[in-house]
Amino acid sequence: MPADEPGAVVVGGTAGLGLATARALGGRGPVTVTGRTTERAERAAAEIGDGARAVAVDLARPDGIAASLSGVDNVRHLVIAAMERDRNPVRDYDVTSASRAVTLKLVGYTEVVHALASRMTEDGSIVLLGGLAANRPHRGSATMTTVNGGISALVRSLATELAPIRANAVHPGLVGDSPHWAKETELCEALRSRLPTGSLVTTDDVVDAVLFLLTNRSVNGTNLVVDGGESMT
Ligand SMILES: NC(=O)c1ccc[n+]([C@@H]2O[C@H](COP(=O)([O-])OP(=O)(O)OC[C@H]3O[C@@H](n4cnc5c(N)ncnc54)[C@H](OP(=O)(O)O)[C@@H]3O)[C@@H](O)[C@H]2O)c1
């Protein structure tokens, strides 16, 4: 593989949907994965193989993001999947937890793009991970509903400001085989039984959507819902 070949960066690539996406991108060119710690990022990079690189970056501390990513260059595909969950009912609101989750997903995601934009190829593309909570609020989802709604708006700003670089978002429903939900068997079964498809969204379904948005030359500024039709129920 030539050293100067443009590559992919997956921020939040040490677990779940980010790691699965990084694995899928692994056979296609150089990949850099990030997590909060070097140790976890290196473990993921070793799992991906093919010379994948590891970088530690904390999106909840946006002031440090540019320095953490200063060694990352020549980016064609940027996927940002990092998240910290914040189940936070409004009548019982925890400001510290909410501030951290909002900072991570809105300021942190934007600062990653700011830090890397000038090092992206003109045919480059960005995919942000949002989530169905943007349109399907539930008790405790105020923060996740807000930030994922923000992601929908952010991709349109990015696509406008960074053109010709494209920007899109994937908004998954509950991903039944993702590490967080796989153990919630009762909840998963209750959801599965009311989905039009009769089956939960899988990690592969989400990765497939991310790869489509990364590579299709004409899809830009869109928000792709991957929910098995849950939004219609
Ligand atoms: N799983 C689902 O059912 C689902 C549904 C809808 C939307 N989504 C969206 O999909 C994305 C991925 O979700 P997931 O379930 O795959 O998440 P996950 O398994 O919890 O993985 C989260 C990733 O984010 C990284 N991370 C956590 N805090 C971070 C921070 N402060 N700074 C930088 N990186 C941080 C973690 O790395 P370290 O722990 O190594 O730091 C890990 O790589 C999220 O944006 C989520 O909102 C997921």
Side-chain angles (χ1 to χ4, degrees), residues 21-114:
T21 302
R23 275 202 210 101
L25 289 165
R28 302 175 177 218
V31 174
T32 300
V33 279
T34 86
R36 280 166 294 186
T37 64
T38 305
E39 189 192 5
R40 276 177 59 82
E42 282 178 348
R43 199 182 312 153
E47 199 179 307
I48 294 158
D50 284 325
R53 290 186 56 206
V55 171
V57 55
D58 185 349
L59 269 56
R61 298 173 183 271
D63 289 345
I65 290 174
S68 299
L69 296 176
S70 59
V72 179
D73 202 3
N74 205 10
V75 180
R76 175 170 284 145
H77 292 141
L78 172 60
V79 178
I80 313 182
M83 71 133 18
E84 287 176 24
R85 289 178 168 80
D86 179 51
R87 187 167 169 74
N88 205 342
V90 175
R91 289 184 190 279
D92 215 2
Y93 199 51
D94 178 340
V95 171
T96 305
S97 173
S99 300
R100 189 175 166 90
V102 171
T103 300
L104 187 165
K105 206 152 186 182
L106 295 182
V107 183
Y109 275 36
T110 310
E111 175 58 5
V112 168
V113 174
H114 161 247

Side-chain angles (χ1 to χ4, degrees), residues 75-77 120-126 164-167 214 217:
V75 180
R76 175 170 284 145
H77 292 141
M120 290 189 69
T121 58
E122 287 217 333
D123 66 349
S125 60
I126 299 165
I165 294 169
R166 295 178 299 106
L214 283 176
R217 292 288 313 132

